[in-house]
Amino acid sequence: MSPAFADVCTEDTMRRLALLLTILTFPAPADELPVTGVVMSSSGLMQVDRGATLPADASATFHVPVEAVDDVLKSLLVRDPAGTVEGVRLPARDLAAEAFRGLPLKPDDFENRAALLNALRGQVVEAGGTTGRIGEAAETEKGLRLALITPAGVTSVLLGDGAEARLQDAALATRVARAAEALATARGEDGRLIEVLLRGTSPREVAVTTVLPAPVWKPSWRLVVPSSGSPSQARLQGWAVVENLSGADWDRVRLTLVSGEAASLHQPLYEPIRVPRQELPLRVAEGVRVEADTGPRPVPPPPAAEPMSRSRAYEAARAAPAPVAQAAAPALAAASAGRIAFTLPSPVSMRAGMTANLPFLDVELPAERVWWIQDLVARHPLQAVRITNASAGTLPDGIVTVFGAENAEAGAWLGDAEMRALPSGQPRLLAFGRDRDVLVTSSRHEAQRAVAASFRPGQVALKTLQTEELALAIDPRGARGPLLIDLPRREGARPLFPVQSEGDYGLRHRAALDGTPVTLRLAFEREAEQLVTIWDAGLGDPLLLSWRSIEVQPTLRRLPGGPGTLESLRAALDGMPPDAPGRDPLARLTESMAQARTLLDAFTAQWRAYATAEAALNRARAAAEDRSGAAKEEARRALNRASLEVEQAGTRADNAWEAWQRAVQGVLASTPR
């Protein structure tokens, strides 16, 4: 290209220049290093292998999308057995911004020739035989009118199609041409050409490996299942949906599909990153400020210097800066730690931007049709198939389309299921529908019984077994087959039913249905301790307690023989096995508590009579105070009778209380120490 920027005034030549620069910047696809192999990963990355025979000192070039450049710079691996690698070159991240840096132009100035010339005002050009500085440019019906400032004054030049305006500053013309080239590249390409600089003395095989971001390959499965009955075989076909978004065509490449959980990191290596720096202020002379003198005055002596505290020192320091057709030949599966790779047996051809669905697995697996209960309150069980991975590697997650293989189900779609990653040798349940012919009804029951008793001061400790039972009434309506039931674990409880397996689902129980209604009882049992208080220690020694010093009614439940305690002991004794530890002492204690209950009830009756007499005495006392004359005398006689009745009722209550306390002695004597 000429140092001068030629044909800058015509739009046609601008378009030709942009097209020419685009062609010169990017080689034809045939010049690029061809793709030989692709490894699609489930981690969102894709390994692309390229290779070819290169002549001596030739560079290896290839296109990648802009968003993939970071990963190319991170992962580029070159294999050149007879040469050396000198480095990698590629255009800057923002071509236009770099090309226009320092120019009096911006990209919008290239929209037409008048805008471009106006942006170059003041520059010296030669146009129409006149040389001068650009003053103004404007499109007219006759052509482009250009005002040039010359030593003699302002001259107007009319430029028609094909006329030239040549910049006299050769360096500026070159930079403007480069800006046009960068603008054409930025508008026409969303990728970057990577050039690997190689040095060799002879032709040789060169290979380049890169890792690019890519959509994950998506496995889907077709499962042909046997009919209900004894265990059999199911046919599993795996298909993979892959997209070629690498920016290059694939022509008979070796395609490998990898399933695993590899760590995938990204770092902005292609983005210019500038480290922020501390700005140092410019030191200038300080302004002089003078306060007016107001004359002397008495000043008190200054206080003694005080040392800086730790907090002040800390603050000062802080102030500093800081189907079911036969599929193609099966893929070759290779397993390693945490991953399995399926390499397709035939080369794959896909144009860039294409999507394909490719078979990669076809195996026979042990299978069994089952009913499956996940929701314990559901009215009908799930239809499911239990498969075991008999292949050598892990089968990746995917959606499973289930078809029937026999009888009325032959060739019929039965439903869809989800399969989570299935390691070799492990089973999976795949539920694909619900069987509304099988009815399930559930109920729950809880019970508790004491199995041992021990004694503490003022308390009986009962060791109990709590049972939580789930009953499932199942009517298979003549159908036969295995039923799997998943139950959640219960903390601290042990199952009283056979457990086939444990997992994230909890506990799995297996039962066999023979066509007739059946009730399955699935129970959990846990140990617990129940404390029964014989007397409340907060009341003190019951033998020294006076009923006149307490509130009787609210205190009865806290006394030996009070309401609730005897009933709890009797309930525990009734359900306890005959040979249970502590049963005999508990029986004796219960009998003593029954006697105390009888006497406490007798005291309660006497206490109520006393309370009634005391209320009558209060009424008689009030009546005597309100009467006069003969009525007053009668009221006094009634008061004396009421007072005598209170005294007698109190004596009877005292006797009943003392009888209860003697019974309490029996309770204490029958309580093991």
Side-chain angles (χ1 to χ4, degrees):
M1 182 178 291
S2 170
F5 184 50
D7 296 336
V8 73
C9 296
T10 64
E11 295 179 356
D12 291 338
T13 52
M14 281 291 297
R15 285 193 293 269
R16 289 197 298 271
L17 174 62
L19 177 61
L20 176 61
L21 293 175
T22 301
I23 296 174
L24 291 177
T25 302
F26 299 107
D31 295 333
E32 295 185 24
L33 208 60
V35 177
T36 59
V38 175
V39 180
M40 304 288 292
S41 170
S42 60
S43 298
L45 293 175
M46 169 177 60
Q47 176 180 323
V48 178
D49 296 323
R50 300 171 180 267
T53 300
L54 295 184
D57 291 336
S59 297
T61 60
F62 55 91
H63 266 100
V64 296
V66 173
E67 63 270 15
V69 175
D70 285 336
D71 289 288
V72 170
L73 297 176
K74 175 194 73 173
S75 64
L76 180 67
L77 180 66
V78 181
R79 298 178 180 87
D80 187 351
T84 58
V85 181
E86 295 186 340
V88 176
R89 289 191 309 193
L90 69 160
R93 173 78 183 191
D94 193 339
L95 292 173
E98 294 300 322
F100 281 85
R101 190 184 303 278
L103 282 178
L105 302 171
K106 56 183 182 294
D108 291 344
D109 294 331
F110 282 87
E111 292 299 324
N112 55 67
R113 55 184 182 174
L116 182 60
L117 288 171
N118 282 323
L120 293 172
R121 286 174 179 170
Q123 299 296 329
V124 178
V125 298
E126 186 276 324
T130 302
T131 301
R133 296 185 182 274
I134 300 174
E136 184 182 17
E139 291 284 357
T140 67
E141 294 181 356
K142 297 180 178 181
L144 179 69
R145 185 168 298 281
L146 179 63
L148 297 179
I149 302 173
T150 66
V154 178
T155 301
S156 178
V157 179
L158 184 64
L159 300 177
D161 291 343
E164 296 181 346
R166 292 181 174 272
L167 286 169
Q168 299 302 294
D169 187 338
L172 177 61
T174 301
R175 294 191 61 194
V176 172
R178 290 177 181 174
E181 175 185 353
L183 184 60
T185 301
R187 290 182 175 180
E189 287 287 336
D190 59 357
R192 291 291 183 268
L193 182 72
I194 309 293
E195 182 180 10
V196 182
L197 304 178
L198 304 173
R199 176 178 296 177
T201 58
S202 62
R204 73 275 185 206
E205 286 289 331
V206 174
V208 174
T209 296
T210 55
V211 178
L212 312 178
V216 297
W217 70 279
K218 298 172 282 291
S220 60
W221 306 93
R222 288 79 166 138
L223 182 65
V224 183
V225 300
S227 60
S228 301
S230 58
S232 182
Q233 295 286 314
R235 184 177 176 184
L236 181 68
Q237 289 185 347
W239 290 68
V241 177
V242 297
E243 293 97 354
N244 178 8
L245 301 184
S246 65
D249 293 341
W250 298 348
D251 183 14
R252 298 186 60 79
V253 304
R254 180 185 67 258
L255 180 60
T256 301
L257 309 173
V258 173
S259 175
E261 295 186 3
S264 175
L265 304 177
H266 174 264
Q267 194 170 57
L269 299 177
Y270 191 40
E271 189 75 27
I273 297 177
R274 293 174 174 82
V275 178
R277 295 176 295 166
Q278 179 183 356
E279 182 173 335
L280 190 64
L282 183 64
R283 304 298 181 184
V284 297
E286 296 183 1
V288 178
R289 182 177 180 180
V290 178
E291 296 288 343
D293 184 17
T294 58
R297 61 179 178 177
V299 179
E306 179 182 353
M308 183 179 291
S309 65
R310 285 188 62 186
S311 61
R312 290 175 57 198
Y314 172 71
E315 292 298 329
R318 284 186 54 186
V324 177
Q326 290 292 335
L332 178 63
S336 60
R339 71 192 293 270
I340 182 171
F342 301 95
T343 301
L344 301 189
S346 301
V348 174
S349 296
M350 290 177 62
R351 287 185 298 176
M354 296 287 290
T355 298
N357 194 17
L358 308 171
F360 69 92
L361 189 68
D362 192 347
V363 293
E364 296 281 340
L365 303 179
E368 181 183 30
R369 290 280 289 271
V370 299
W371 289 292
W372 184 15
I373 295 180
Q374 282 185 314
D375 184 356
L376 298 176
V377 297
R379 292 280 294 164
H380 308 281
L382 297 170
Q383 293 189 73
V385 58
R386 185 178 187 270
I387 63 173
T388 301
N389 183 7
S391 66
T394 298
L395 303 180
D397 296 1
I399 187 172
V400 180
T401 304
V402 182
F403 296 92
E406 301 169 344
N407 304 324
E409 295 180 343
W413 172 71
L414 303 182
D416 291 337
E418 178 188 10
M419 185 175 74
R420 304 303 299 271
L422 180 53
S424 177
Q426 289 194 10
R428 280 290 185 275
L429 276 178
L430 305 179
F432 54 85
R434 191 174 295 280
D435 191 341
R436 296 191 176 275
D437 291 333
V438 179
L439 299 179
V440 180
T441 304
S442 64
S443 62
R444 297 178 184 272
H445 175 70
E446 294 184 3
Q448 178 175 292
R449 61 190 178 94
V451 294
S454 58
F455 303 88
R456 302 170 186 173
Q459 291 181 325
V460 177
L462 298 174
K463 178 183 178 182
T464 63
L465 289 182
Q466 298 176 351
T467 303
E468 305 170 18
E469 182 183 81
L470 170 68
L472 295 176
I474 303 172
D475 184 2
R477 298 185 178 182
R480 300 171 179 267
L483 170 68
L484 301 180
I485 306 169
D486 290 350
L487 297 97
R489 296 181 181 86
R490 287 167 170 77
E491 188 68 27
R494 63 184 183 90
L496 301 181
F497 53 87
V499 176
Q500 183 193 53
S501 62
E502 297 187 35
D504 294 337
Y505 47 80
L507 307 179
R508 181 165 292 166
H509 172 70
R510 181 185 177 102
L513 302 183
D514 61 1
T516 60
V518 63
T519 298
L520 303 178
R521 300 188 180 277
L522 307 173
F524 289 85
E525 186 178 72
R526 75 175 75 242
E527 292 185 358
E529 184 180 71
Q530 178 186 359
L531 294 178
V532 180
T533 301
I534 300 174
W535 74 84
D536 190 340
L539 295 175
D541 190 341
L543 301 180
L544 302 177
L545 190 64
S546 172
W547 66 272
R548 297 178 186 272
S549 62
I550 62 175
E551 294 185 33
V552 174
Q553 187 64 42
T555 309
L556 289 176
R557 184 173 294 275
R558 302 168 63 188
L559 299 174
T565 303
L566 179 61
E567 288 74 13
S568 297
L569 295 180
R570 283 175 172 168
L573 193 62
D574 291 343
M576 189 176 293
D579 57 347
R583 190 183 192 285
D584 292 341
L586 181 62
R588 291 192 294 270
L589 175 61
T590 303
E591 183 178 354
S592 299
M593 289 287 286
Q595 296 174 1
R597 164 67 66 82
T598 301
L599 294 174
L600 187 60
D601 289 345
F603 161 75
T604 304
Q606 295 300 329
W607 169 76
R608 289 196 176 97
Y610 169 79
T612 301
E614 190 174 39
L617 175 62
N618 291 334
R619 290 194 298 272
R621 184 178 292 114
E625 293 175 354
D626 293 341
R627 302 294 189 271
S628 61
K632 185 174 185 66
E633 186 63 26
E634 179 60 29
R636 285 181 176 178
R637 287 194 293 271
L639 177 60
N640 292 336
R641 290 193 299 272
S643 179
L644 179 61
E645 181 60 31
V646 168
E647 183 178 353
Q648 292 173 349
T651 300
R652 290 192 295 271
D654 287 338
N655 295 335
W657 182 262
E658 291 172 2
W660 170 78
Q661 286 181 319
R662 288 192 295 272
V664 171
Q665 289 180 333
V667 172
L668 300 179
S670 61
T671 303
R673 298 290 180 177

